[in-house]
Every structure is written in structure tokens, then in C-alpha cells.
Amino acid sequence: MSIQQIGSSWLLHTQNTTYAFGLNSLGLLVHQYWGPRIASPSALPPAPESEGWASFNHPEHLLPEEYPAWAGMKFVEPCLKVTAHDQVRDTVLVFQDSQAEVDDLPHLVITLQDPVYALRVRLHYRVHAESDIIERWAELVNDSAAPIRLERAFSVQWHPPAGTAYRFSHLYGRWNDEFHLVRETLTPGVKVIESRRLTTSHHHNPWFALDGGDASETQGEVWFGALGWSGNWKLCAEDTGFASTRLSLGVNDFDFAWDLQPGETFTTPSAYAGYTQEGFGAASRCLHQLIRSRLIPHPRALHPVLYNSWEATLFDVDAPSQIRLAQLAAQMGVELFVMDDGWFKGRRDDRAGLGDWSPDPLKFPHGLNPLIQQVTALGMRFGLWVEPEMVNPDSDLYRAHPDWVLHFPTRQRRTGRNQLILNLARPDVQAHLNQMLDELLSQHDISFIKWDMNRAVSEPGWPDAPRDPREMWVRYTHGLYHILETLRSRHPQVTFQSCSGGGGRADLGVLRYADQIWVSDNTEAAARLRIQEGFSQLFPAQVMEAWVTDANRGQIPLSFRFHVSMCGSLGIGGNLTQWSPQERAEAAHWIAVYKDIRPIIQFGSQFRLRSPSQSPFSAVQYLSEDGAAGVLFAFRTHLPDPAALPPLRLQGLDPQALYAVEGVPEPHSGAYWMHTGLPLVLGNFESALLRITRLP
Ligand code: DGJ
């Protein structure tokens, strides 16, 4: 049984873990336990009480409430901060009831209420037993006759066990340099990471891992999680200074306000978190499994090998240039041809055209269909780039609807990459984009959409907003999801890719609509190894699109560049008209190899054997779902000679079973490969792709 009630405690059991909370004697909902699965209820610690008294540190300050509201003598980060109609800013949430929700997963709802102000909080808990993950979100319901202003409405507060000095792992970066992994010990105070940029952002990601400082890739306790949200977000990792740590996560409260009218409900995005005793690698695999089994729209569809024409033609797109590339791509075995930026009306460069999503009459006098027919006649599917959230001031759409962009009337409308942001919070903008994109998909045989978003926000105003204009931050993301959801339901066969100048919109929220993420505009092979390692902390290889481009051409072997991209969903992005017949023949070889191994990479488990950010000799391994087949990629970047490379210790094998590793004459047991390891000889910028086979 996944959800168990014992007295006034609830235990949520996953395959390997238990998460428990309950009521204390004051009727407050407090956290009790999060760790290895509890076999007997007697192992459950009691619900914490607020006992004792001190003028400056009242015990309620330290109570690990599941969803603390700002009130009383609590100075820790709250989940909820509200102002009532009478300006009272003190919210007391007491238990009302619990109920099981009808769902395909075990799902519990705990209702708390502020009895004076009739603010009801419905805390949702869903149990993803097979991935050891708990999903949580909150609904805030105004049952009163007066509005209530929400000033902070986080999704969760997570409580790892008290008494440990935690190390906090998170991801930071910037455009072209995303997903750096950093691990730092928390000290008393609050460490905040966030986005105020309207998107998830390249700079930080709403993902975390906490450990006691001693976890490794393969061992140790790790508490980890992520937020499913593609707008502004905030994560507060707080060491209270009283031997307890808490992690709060949700929609950013910076410049946030939401007027909850009588009868209305505000629903927070979902947050997901889990626990493992098997280190950071296992933590990542739990999230990978969750994403693959519960989030992405087409979990069992193998991604085709794609070609993207962006780096080859930039804005100089026309039918002949695309057909030439398509012919070469098809000869190499590419299955999906994607035309990137530059195809629509007036798009000569990045100064014009965004907003006018009809084919440019000069470049495509007969529309896109003749090109699409030629691509499909070559045996490939067709994909298209769009950037629907944006408008260039030099566009028909902007000339017709200058009021549709985010702006403040008294301020200059500053552009980023010469573009302004359509206010997706507006229902008329949503309706327009829905209609325009629906027409595009209905009138063309398109099976893939690369959805881009290429600037950070400025002047986030909504002058004619019907409510508080600061609701824009949340309504914009809801608008984006609404459009994606509408298109997906009308065109379920279309695969969407989330791109924001590379990895600026990579999160568990957008993955409910998009099957893939464009990880970075940086396609340099060595840089990409590091970026892919960071990305893999939370995202599986299946959603990671990776192109072989002309970056490092002539410097790093094509095989190395292919191996890097084969660690995800393989794509090609170079200018094929410049590639020699030998390069194209070699590319065709690697594409054929990839097609053979891609079920292992896209559906299997991933093991990071050696870190490219910590060593110039790195390796990553994939194992099929049934454990019978694997693939190992090893990379040596620069390492002065002579350098004996340490044996690679494989992971995830059955210790008793026999495995053959390509290139090694003798098979060995799983235990041998995992403990003695595989010797490899690689020169600088050499790589290896070796198959692993379990013998009968
Ligand atoms: C940014 C993307 O990351 C690139 O791949 C490309 O699509 C350009 N935008 C096109 O403007």
C-alpha cells in the first residue's frame, strides 16, 4: 500500500523510500520522516511539537511544517504569505481533513484552513512509487466573501532529516555555457537561486540535490528534486542555524502578486522530490524515470535522427538551399529534416519578421508545401522552427497590435535581439497564436516543431490588465502551456522541442508538452561533454537533442564529435555542402550505428562513470531496460602524455552474469567489470564507443 494512515500520520511509501508527516498536538501538519522505506510503523518518529519558550526563538520557528504560512514568531522562509482584505498578514493553517483523490497514482489531499479568513489550502501528494518520487503541489482556495492577496505561494517546503550539515548541489550557467554543476556546503542563512527572466533561464535551474557531504555518484544518501515550472521561480535552501535544513521551492515571489477573488483557486506548479541511498547517479535515474514514464508526451517514441539547417544557412533560407541540404542529409540516413529560422515573411535577418508566420513570398513563392513534398519524397519527415512568443517591431503583427507586447507606457520598449515579447498572459494573444499555429500545422505536413524563445524580459508591464498586472508572471506561463496543450491535442502526432537560445527553458513543466530540449547553442565537442553531464543530473538522454556541427571541424575527429552527440538524441547541424564525401560516408556510418543502439540510449539507464568536468578522461554508460545490452562511451580530451588511463569501472550490471565488452577477447562477470574495470588506451581527443552484451 503506497499511502498508509497510522493515527494522525500519513506515510507515503515508494519502492525504496518512505515520506511521512502528521498532526502534532496543536493540529499543525508537520514533517516526520523522509528516508529508507519504513517496514514497521513503530520506526516512525513522533510528530514534532513546539515545546518550550524563549523570547527571541520561539519553538514554532523551528517546527518543520509541511506548508508553513507566514505568521506568529516564525522567521524561517514560509511557503505562503498573504494579505487579507483587512490588511491582516498572519495566516494560521489548521488541519481540516484528508481524502484520497481519484487518480491513476496514489494521491492524497490534506486540507488545511485559516478559520478566520476562510482561506483553504489543499496540499496534494502523489506517489510515483517506481521512481521513488513524491510529487506535491498546493491549491489555495478563497472561501470568503472578500479578496485575499497572495504575495508568496510556493509549491513546497522539503525537510531532509535534521542534524546534518548539508551540501547543496545545483546548476548554474549562462547562454552558450549552461548546466555547470556546483556543490557547496550550506551555512546558516538562506541560499537563494532563482529566475526573474520570465523563463526558467540559462543561469540557474530549479533542480537540487542535498547530501551530507559524503555522497558520490554511486553511494550515499541524497535528497533531490525539481520544480515543474517554466516561468520565474525561486529556490530557498535554508540552514536555520538550529541544526535543521529546509528547502522551499515555487513560483518566484519577486514582483509577484495574485488577487484571489471570492470562490477562486490558485494552483501552484508541481514540485517533485525523492530520496536514495545510492548516490547522485541513482538520484538522476529516478528523475529520468519520472520524466520518461510520467511527463513527456511520447515516452515510447524513438527520436529520429534529425538534420537542422540553422548553422548551414542561417537566415539565407530558400527552397533550393534546403533541398540541397535535404538530399545530402537523406543520403546519410537522416530521418527528420528541420528548417530553422529565416523561412517566414520579411525574415532577412534578425531585425524583421517575427510575428508574421507565413512563408516568405520571395524565398518560397509557392509556399512551404513543395519543399515539404520533396523532403518527404526523400524518405524524411519535415520539421519547422518557430518563435511564437516574439515579435519584431518591423512586422505586420506589431504594426497591427503594438499593445500586445509587454511594456510600460512611460518607458522605452527595449528590444533584445531586436525583438519584443508578446504578452502571453492576454487571452487575445493566446487565441491569435493558437489559430496561427493551428493553421500552420493543419496546412502542412509537419511532424516536429522547434519552439524557440530568444530574449530575457524587460519592462514587464501589462497596462490594460484586468487585474493586478503582476499576475502576468504566472499567467504568461499558463498562456504558454495553454497554447502548447491546445496544439498538442489538435496535432498529437507532432513532436515539440523546447528551445530558448539553447537551454533557457529546460524544466519539468515544459516537458509535459515537449519531448525534447535543445540543450545549448554551444556545440563544441569538449564543452558539450561538460554541458551534457550537467544536463543529465535531471534530464534523461532521450530528451537531450545533440547535434554534430562544424564546430571543431578539422580539429577534433568526426568520430569524437559523433560520439558526444550519440550520448543523447542524435542530430546533425553542420553545413553538409562543405563536408567531403569521406566525411559524409563516415557520418552515414555513425548514423547507422546510432540507429542500432538508440533504444539503449533513449530508453535505457544512464551511468556517469567519469566526470568530464573533473577529468580529461570521461565516460558514460547506458544499459538497456532489460539489462541485456549496454553501450559505453569514453572520451579523452587533453591529457599530457604519458598518461595511463585508469580502468573504467562499469555500473549497473548483474554481478553474477557474464558480459562481453566489444574489443575485449574474454567475457567477464558483471562483478569483474564493476570492480576491476575495463582498461582503455586513448590518445588526445580520441573516443571509444563499445557495446556491452550480457551472455546467456
Ligand atoms: C537560437 C537557437 O538556439 C538556435 O538553435 C537557432 O534556432 C536560432 N535561435 C535561430 O534564430
Side-chain angles (χ1 to χ4, degrees):
M1 203 212 296
S2 295
I3 298 181
Q4 198 182 9
Q5 185 172 358
I6 298 172
S8 55
S9 293
W10 291 267
L11 288 77
L12 313 183
H13 300 294
T14 69
Q15 218 171 339
N16 300 299
T17 75
T18 298
Y19 180 99
F21 52 86
L23 301 176
N24 71 7
S25 58
L26 296 175
L28 296 172
L29 191 72
V30 288
H31 186 76
Q32 282 178 264
Y33 177 84
W34 192 13
R37 190 176 165 123
I38 285 180
S40 145
S42 60
L44 186 67
E49 298 290 345
S50 47
E51 285 161 350
W53 186 88
S55 306
F56 291 96
N57 290 303
H58 193 276
E60 73 179 349
H61 173 69
L62 294 177
L63 209 57
E65 286 182 78
E66 280 286 291
Y67 197 78
W70 188 52
M73 291 172 79
K74 288 185 282 191
F75 305 99
V76 283
E77 289 291 335
C79 280
L80 185 65
K81 180 177 182 303
V82 312
T83 298
H85 64 95
D86 57 2
Q87 301 306 311
V88 168
R89 305 182 311 285
D90 185 277
T91 306
V92 178
L93 296 177
V94 292
F95 177 76
Q96 202 177 30
D97 63 37
S98 73
Q99 82 196 63
E101 198 89 338
V102 179
D103 198 336
D104 61 336
L105 288 174
H107 183 166
L108 176 72
V109 182
I110 303 283
T111 303
L112 312 175
Q113 202 192 25
D114 185 312
V116 175
Y117 291 96
L119 173 64
R120 192 154 41 100
V121 177
R122 285 165 49 80
L123 299 180
H124 291 257
Y125 295 84
R126 280 175 106 206
V127 182
H128 297 267
E130 75 296 343
S131 46
D132 287 328
I133 281 178
I134 306 294
E135 175 184 357
R136 285 183 57 184
W137 71 96
E139 286 177 301
L140 310 169
V141 189
N142 183 353
D143 290 327
S144 77
I148 296 174
R149 167 158 293 194
L150 306 178
E151 287 155 3
R152 173 183 285 191
F154 277 176
S155 297
V156 284
Q157 187 161 103
W158 301 110
H159 298 273
T164 298
Y166 283 98
R167 184 168 60 160
F168 172 46
S169 301
H170 56 103
L171 295 164
Y172 77 95
R174 56 194 68 80
W175 172 76
N176 222 27
D177 191 21
E178 298 90 335
F179 302 109
H180 284 265
L181 176 63
V182 61
R183 302 197 198 282
E184 56 182 308
T185 303
L186 291 174
T187 52
V190 185
K191 166 82 187 184
V192 175
I193 57 171
E194 64 177 344
S195 168
R196 299 178 181 183
R197 291 169 180 258
L198 189 65
T199 56
T200 329
S201 105
H202 305 82
H203 295 256
H204 298 278
N205 193 280
W207 166 84
F208 70 91
L210 293 170
D211 76 297
D214 52 357
S216 68
E217 270 297 298
T218 53
Q219 285 174 349
E221 292 188 289
V222 181
W223 293 261
F224 57 91
L227 182 69
W229 185 241
S230 313
N232 284 4
W233 56 272
K234 185 172 184 177
L235 181 155
C236 305
E238 179 167 16
D239 178 328
T240 62
F242 291 88
S244 70
T245 297
R246 40 184 78 196
L247 195 138
S248 318
L249 185 53
V251 165
N252 204 336
D253 56 350
F254 178 81
D255 199 39
F256 167 82
W258 193 280
D259 281 330
L260 198 62
Q261 298 298 329
E264 285 186 350
T265 299
F266 179 88
T267 305
T268 73
S270 282
Y272 306 85
Y275 163 81
T276 177
Q277 291 177 292
E278 293 170 19
F280 298 113
S284 296
R285 286 188 291 280
C286 290
L287 283 167
H288 296 176
Q289 183 170 358
L290 173 89
I291 289 169
R292 289 193 308 217
S293 61
R294 302 300 310 189
L295 299 187
I296 52 175
H298 302 108
R300 297 307 298 178
L302 278 173
H303 289 304
V305 176
L306 73 73
Y307 177 79
N308 180 296
S309 63
W310 168 243
E311 295 195 14
T313 46
L314 296 176
F315 297 102
D316 289 333
V317 167
D318 59 14
S321 70
Q322 299 303 296
I323 289 166
R324 181 73 195 118
L325 289 165
Q327 285 165 340
L328 295 171
Q331 284 164 17
M332 287 167 22
V334 167
E335 300 159 306
L336 169 67
F337 181 86
V338 182
M339 181 161 66
D340 210 280
D341 198 349
W343 60 269
F344 45 96
K345 189 163 169 260
R347 190 66 165 171
R348 300 170 300 276
D349 50 35
D350 65 11
R351 288 191 292 274
L354 289 173
D356 298 343
W357 298 102
S358 58
D360 186 83
L362 297 176
K363 296 176 177 180
F364 297 97
H366 307 292
L368 295 184
N369 280 330
L371 169 65
I372 296 175
Q373 278 153 14
Q374 296 208 45
V375 166
T376 47
L378 288 165
M380 297 184 292
R381 288 183 261 158
F382 184 79
L384 196 61
W385 177 95
V386 290
E387 194 179 358
E389 297 157 76
M390 295 294 154
V391 68
N392 287 115
D394 184 1
S395 67
D396 294 343
L397 184 69
Y398 186 69
R399 283 183 280 271
H401 297 287
D403 51 327
W404 276 8
V405 298
L406 292 174
H407 68 284
F408 291 123
T410 57
R411 297 285 174 202
Q412 183 197 343
R413 301 177 183 198
R414 273 181 302 171
T415 54
R417 206 197 190 199
N418 305 305
Q419 55 202 51
L420 296 164
I421 304 177
L422 288 173
N423 182 358
L424 264 64
R426 295 175 62 118
D428 49 1
V429 171
Q430 292 170 20
H432 167 77
L433 292 179
N434 260 331
Q435 188 195 342
M436 180 275 292
L437 291 163
D438 184 37
E439 275 172 25
L440 192 65
L441 291 173
S442 303
Q443 291 166 6
H444 302 95
D445 183 6
I446 292 173
S447 59
F448 179 93
I449 286 285
K450 176 176 173 182
W451 183 297
D452 206 348
M453 197 294 189
N454 277 302
R455 63 160 291 187
V457 72
S458 64
E459 301 89 34
W462 181 2
D464 46 356
R467 301 163 54 125
D468 191 311
R470 288 170 294 182
E471 293 186 11
M472 182 280 294
W473 296 112
V474 168
R475 291 188 184 276
Y476 184 102
T477 305
H478 284 164
L480 171 74
Y481 290 163
H482 168 66
I483 296 166
L484 287 167
E485 176 62 36
T486 309
L487 294 172
R488 278 208 23 73
S489 63
R490 291 192 190 149
H491 305 277
Q493 78 290 356
V494 176
T495 298
F496 285 84
Q497 180 187 76
S498 173
C499 170
S500 176
R505 188 181 271 151
D507 58 78
L508 271 53
V510 81
L511 283 178
R512 282 181 288 132
Y513 311 97
D515 286 279
Q516 276 196 343
I517 292 171
W518 176 231
V519 181
S520 178
D521 281 346
N522 187 338
T523 54
E524 300 254 344
R528 198 66 187 224
L529 280 177
R530 204 248 340 116
I531 292 171
Q532 294 183 178
E533 178 195 33
F535 187 81
S536 77
Q537 300 299 316
L538 71 159
F539 300 113
Q542 186 178 7
V543 309
M544 181 177 83
E545 201 201 319
W547 305 345
V548 179
T549 66
D550 293 335
N552 310 120
R553 186 160 170 253
Q555 299 159 339
I556 296 181
L558 190 57
S559 54
F560 188 108
R561 286 147 54 210
F562 259 94
H563 290 167
V564 172
S565 295
M566 289 164 82
C567 290
S569 178
L570 176 64
I572 319 293
N575 186 353
L576 300 182
T577 62
Q578 306 293 313
W579 287 22
S580 67
Q582 291 77 8
E583 281 173 297
R584 284 187 272 117
E586 187 180 344
H589 164 73
W590 289 122
I591 289 171
V593 172
Y594 181 75
K595 287 178 183 170
D596 201 28
I597 58 177
R598 73 178 150 189
I600 304 173
I601 292 163
Q602 295 189 17
F603 297 156
S605 305
Q606 184 177 349
F607 301 87
R608 296 180 292 257
L609 303 189
R610 289 181 61 84
S611 162
S613 51
Q614 285 170 25
S615 162
F617 172 48
S618 65
V620 59
Q621 177 203 322
Y622 302 81
L623 205 55
S624 64
E625 289 166 286
D626 63 0
V631 190
L632 172 72
F633 292 95
F635 304 93
R636 175 172 168 176
T637 50
H638 182 68
L639 193 59
D641 284 325
L645 305 181
L648 278 179
R649 294 171 62 177
L650 307 189
Q651 291 181 28
L653 306 181
D654 173 354
Q656 315 296 334
L658 261 191
Y659 293 86
V661 175
E662 198 177 349
V664 182
E666 285 292 302
H668 289 288
S669 67
Y672 175 93
W673 293 121
M674 292 194 291
H675 300 298
T676 302
L678 168 76
L680 268 186
V681 179
L682 292 176
N684 281 340
F685 287 99
E686 274 183 12
S687 56
L689 183 171
L690 302 175
R691 296 175 195 228
I692 302 162
T693 311
R694 189 175 67 199
L695 302 178

